[in-house]
Amino acid sequence: MGPLEFLRLVAAALTIVAAILVAANWSPRITVAGFAIFIAASTAWMIDGWMEDKPSLLIQNAVLLLVNIAGVYRWLPRA
């Protein structure tokens, strides 16, 4: 497994874990953790998009990064 394949595996796993945490809505603290993990996943996908010259993947995850930062900002005071 090469470094890009490993990066994609990590990004996919982080995305799944983050989605479960945010969707479960167990507590504000866990929801913030989910958004923080989404930030890491978006960053990993952006790196993949940049390294593979895939501007659509890069742009999509740049927007999702902003959405997830907004999620942390919204939920952090409740955590």
Side-chain angles (χ1 to χ4, degrees):
M1 176 182 297
L4 280 177
E5 289 84 11
F6 181 73
L7 177 67
R8 289 182 193 127
L9 179 66
V10 169
L14 288 174
T15 302
I16 292 166
V17 170
I20 290 168
L21 294 178
V22 171
N25 197 20
W26 285 313
S27 73
R29 183 173 276 174
I30 291 174
T31 301
V32 168
F35 279 116
I37 295 169
F38 264 137
I39 289 170
S42 293
T43 303
W45 284 120
M46 288 169 57
I47 292 168
D48 181 53
W50 177 68
M51 292 181 77
E52 289 290 305
D53 195 28
K54 296 178 182 175
S56 58
L57 184 62
L58 182 60
I59 293 167
Q60 171 187 331
N61 280 282
V63 171
L64 290 173
L65 178 67
L66 296 175
V67 169
N68 293 316
I69 290 170
V72 168
Y73 179 76
R74 179 178 181 267
W75 281 90
L76 194 57
R78 299 178 190 180

